[in-house]
Amino acid sequence: QRLFGPVPSRRLGWSLGVDLTPIKTCTLDCVFCQLGRTTVKTTDRREYVPVTEVIAEIAAWLHGGGTADYITLAGAGEPTLHSRFGDVIDQTRRLTRIPVALLTNGTLLHLPEVRRAACQAAVVKVTLSAGTRGLFSQIHRPCRGVTLSHLLEGARQLRAEFTGQLWLEVFLLWGINSTPADV
């Protein structure tokens, strides 16, 4: 089962979640993650779950009368780690008019192929909770090779290429990144 919900979302209304990676497979190990510590911290992009299975589940949900405000690539890990997440977006768009949202930590957006795939979504939400390398390391505990500069550059490039809605989500953590200078 790759789908969850639809669940109520403050940002997206009723959102059908699509999970493309095994639980806690991520490029980061954020101190604020609602799912706890990351168990597989990686930048290895691959087809973690078969696209055909994901699309079959979405099609079955739709044929069963499923409705939502958004179909959202999110879940228990970083969706852009799935090497074919763009195919999931594309094939979902062929099945329904329900817009697709991508919730990402943004750490792989510096890769052109990730940005190309992300540009197919109606909404891309990127997380940014640090303005310095030190805070980035403290808050996000990144995988080796994942940097704040890559995240920022990837988000800037995505903004230049993407015609959909780009949302920036900022987590303020009291006593860590909540000073006026950090904000």
Side-chain angles (χ1 to χ4, degrees), residues 21-157:
T21 61
I23 191 165
K24 292 307 295 171
T25 300
C26 194
T27 56
L28 302 175
D29 183 18
C30 301
V31 298
F32 55 77
C33 185
Q34 65 191 21
L35 299 173
R37 296 297 301 255
T38 296
T39 52
V40 180
K41 196 161 46 169
T42 185
T43 57
D44 182 29
R45 297 191 69 238
R46 58 188 173 92
E47 190 174 353
Y48 287 93
V49 297
V51 170
T52 54
E53 289 180 15
V54 174
I55 295 304
E57 284 186 40
I58 292 171
W61 177 80
L62 289 165
H63 291 305
T67 62
D69 296 311
Y70 284 90
I71 295 175
T72 306
L73 306 188
E78 172 54 36
T80 63
L81 281 169
H82 193 288
S83 59
R84 295 186 58 206
F85 80 93
D87 292 337
V88 173
I89 296 172
D90 178 57
Q91 292 181 41
T92 299
R93 289 176 52 200
R94 293 171 194 258
L95 290 173
T96 181
R97 291 192 186 287
I98 299 172
V100 177
L102 170 66
L103 305 188
T104 177
N105 63 28
T107 56
L108 298 175
L109 289 173
H110 67 283
L111 301 171
E113 63 273 19
V114 171
R115 288 194 311 279
R116 270 191 305 276
C119 282
Q120 297 180 78
V123 172
V124 176
K125 190 275 307 162
V126 177
T127 301
L128 178 65
S129 300
T132 66
R133 286 183 302 173
L135 277 176
F136 184 76
S137 291
Q138 180 183 0
I139 294 169
H140 297 294
R141 301 181 296 211
C143 184
R144 171 170 293 221
V146 172
T147 66
L148 176 61
S149 61
H150 277 150
L151 189 159
L152 295 174
E153 186 54 32
R156 281 188 199 104
Q157 289 178 337

